[in-house]
Amino acid sequence: MLDGSEVDAGSLADSRLPLALSAGAHELTVHAEMAYSRDGQGLHRAVDPADGETYLYGHLFLDAAPRVFACFDQPDLKAPFQISVRANPEWAVISNGVIEATKADRVDFAVTKPLATYFVTVCAGPYVSVTGEHRGVPLGVHARASLAAALKTHAPDILDVTRGALDYFEDLFGFDYPFGSYDQVFVPEFNAGAMENPGCVTFRDGLLYRGVATSEDIMGRSLTVAHELAHMWCGDLVTMKWWEDLWLNESFAEYLGHAALAHISDSAAPWVHGSISRKTWGYAAERAPSAHPVAASAADTEAALANFDGISYAKGRLSCASWWRPLATRLSQLA
Ligand SMILES: [Zn+2]
């Protein structure tokens, strides 16, 4: 309903609903039932082949939010979200905000800070959890039930890195972690490495190693954990105006993830790891026909995704040494 009049739902195409609007205030109400996805974009539904259990998680990067809920979908149009979920009462339900109330099969989350649409997520299923706390911030690490043993093995290390990186970033930026609780959910069939949803980061669950993990494996995961936490300040609290500046999010998080881990471990090993495994990713992207400037233009979301590669992360990170400190100062002034 737009200002009390029915909108033709048949005009929905490519997840876009055209609205004829005059200047000024309007009221739009949407009731919609949307399908789960199976390609990792949107509200993904996975069935664990180990035990047949069902797991859901939202992955809305880069422009999949309209596959889940009605929104004006661009990164500089932020709004507070109030999310309620009806699910199996036996399931864990995790989202960006903290849980405010639970009643039978319904979980109500607190209103979030203003979020870009691509940061909204809900994870639901019989996830198992290891919880902790750090100076008033509730921490959670979650995985599907069939990975309970791997979760138990690796969660203490993940929580240690999280605590150390929280201290480092809070000190660096001069203000506290801004999103209440911090959950890290290792989800099945994830099509990226990790996603920085404020307060509810998702990771591919292959990072909970079931066999012997090398020190390089653990280092790589720790860098991802610190990288995602850096995004809580740069990317989430302060977000680019348009997708062409996505590289700035990633280069900054790359640089500060390495800096945080070097600080926590009192070692140069994270920088060495970055030079061996990440820098070569940037070099490979530069040799490809798809090479592009670190800061390229993005006329639309497809162009932004086409330019989202090792250049955005690893080459951009190399340029950060000169400008990250002024940017960090500016961020702390804006927040
Ligand atoms: Zn990132």
mmCIF file of all heavy atoms in Angstrom, residues 196 227-228 231 249-250 253 313, ligand 1:
data_model
loop_
_atom_site.group_PDB
_atom_site.id
_atom_site.type_symbol
_atom_site.label_atom_id
_atom_site.label_comp_id
_atom_site.label_asym_id
_atom_site.label_seq_id
_atom_site.Cartn_x
_atom_site.Cartn_y
_atom_site.Cartn_z
ATOM 1 N N GLU A 196 30.744 -9.049 7.275
ATOM 2 C CA GLU A 196 30.812 -8.207 8.470
ATOM 3 C C GLU A 196 29.462 -7.673 8.950
ATOM 4 O O GLU A 196 29.370 -6.497 9.311
ATOM 5 C CB GLU A 196 31.775 -7.044 8.192
ATOM 6 C CG GLU A 196 31.315 -6.036 7.124
ATOM 7 C CD GLU A 196 31.802 -6.358 5.713
ATOM 8 O OE1 GLU A 196 32.084 -7.534 5.430
ATOM 9 O OE2 GLU A 196 31.877 -5.431 4.894
ATOM 10 N N HIS A 227 39.974 -8.924 10.872
ATOM 11 C CA HIS A 227 39.505 -8.134 9.723
ATOM 12 C C HIS A 227 38.014 -7.799 9.889
ATOM 13 O O HIS A 227 37.602 -6.638 9.740
ATOM 14 C CB HIS A 227 39.766 -8.955 8.451
ATOM 15 C CG HIS A 227 39.199 -8.409 7.180
ATOM 16 N ND1 HIS A 227 39.979 -8.053 6.110
ATOM 17 C CD2 HIS A 227 37.911 -8.190 6.774
ATOM 18 C CE1 HIS A 227 39.213 -7.622 5.124
ATOM 19 N NE2 HIS A 227 37.948 -7.705 5.498
ATOM 20 N N GLU A 228 37.205 -8.804 10.209
ATOM 21 C CA GLU A 228 35.756 -8.580 10.342
ATOM 22 C C GLU A 228 35.453 -7.640 11.507
ATOM 23 O O GLU A 228 34.558 -6.801 11.425
ATOM 24 C CB GLU A 228 35.009 -9.904 10.515
ATOM 25 C CG GLU A 228 35.174 -10.886 9.358
ATOM 26 C CD GLU A 228 34.891 -10.283 7.992
ATOM 27 O OE1 GLU A 228 33.926 -9.508 7.870
ATOM 28 O OE2 GLU A 228 35.637 -10.577 7.046
ATOM 29 N N HIS A 231 35.899 -4.091 10.595
ATOM 30 C CA HIS A 231 34.761 -3.580 9.815
ATOM 31 C C HIS A 231 33.670 -2.985 10.706
ATOM 32 O O HIS A 231 32.849 -2.190 10.231
ATOM 33 C CB HIS A 231 34.125 -4.706 9.004
ATOM 34 C CG HIS A 231 34.734 -4.926 7.656
ATOM 35 N ND1 HIS A 231 34.989 -3.909 6.765
ATOM 36 C CD2 HIS A 231 35.109 -6.064 7.028
ATOM 37 C CE1 HIS A 231 35.498 -4.422 5.650
ATOM 38 N NE2 HIS A 231 35.581 -5.723 5.785
ATOM 39 N N ASN A 249 36.692 0.122 2.367
ATOM 40 C CA ASN A 249 36.313 -0.777 3.476
ATOM 41 C C ASN A 249 37.318 -1.906 3.614
ATOM 42 O O ASN A 249 37.797 -2.215 4.703
ATOM 43 C CB ASN A 249 34.983 -1.484 3.169
ATOM 44 C CG ASN A 249 33.774 -0.677 3.497
ATOM 45 O OD1 ASN A 249 33.898 0.489 3.812
ATOM 46 N ND2 ASN A 249 32.609 -1.289 3.410
ATOM 47 N N GLU A 250 37.559 -2.564 2.462
ATOM 48 C CA GLU A 250 38.332 -3.807 2.501
ATOM 49 C C GLU A 250 39.810 -3.557 2.746
ATOM 50 O O GLU A 250 40.447 -4.276 3.519
ATOM 51 C CB GLU A 250 38.121 -4.611 1.211
ATOM 52 C CG GLU A 250 36.700 -5.088 1.017
ATOM 53 C CD GLU A 250 36.128 -5.816 2.230
ATOM 54 O OE1 GLU A 250 36.893 -6.271 3.098
ATOM 55 O OE2 GLU A 250 34.894 -5.902 2.321
ATOM 56 N N ALA A 253 40.182 -2.676 6.431
ATOM 57 C CA ALA A 253 40.014 -3.847 7.308
ATOM 58 C C ALA A 253 41.198 -4.797 7.149
ATOM 59 O O ALA A 253 41.646 -5.414 8.121
ATOM 60 C CB ALA A 253 38.697 -4.555 7.006
ATOM 61 N N TYR A 313 41.409 -5.725 -1.998
ATOM 62 C CA TYR A 313 41.865 -6.094 -0.655
ATOM 63 C C TYR A 313 43.370 -5.886 -0.502
ATOM 64 O O TYR A 313 43.839 -5.034 0.239
ATOM 65 C CB TYR A 313 41.556 -7.571 -0.377
ATOM 66 C CG TYR A 313 40.119 -7.892 -0.075
ATOM 67 C CD1 TYR A 313 39.156 -7.907 -1.068
ATOM 68 C CD2 TYR A 313 39.723 -8.213 1.218
ATOM 69 C CE1 TYR A 313 37.834 -8.232 -0.785
ATOM 70 C CE2 TYR A 313 38.407 -8.549 1.507
ATOM 71 C CZ TYR A 313 37.472 -8.559 0.495
ATOM 72 O OH TYR A 313 36.170 -8.881 0.780
HETATM 73 ZN ZN ZN B 1 36.188 -7.285 4.592
#
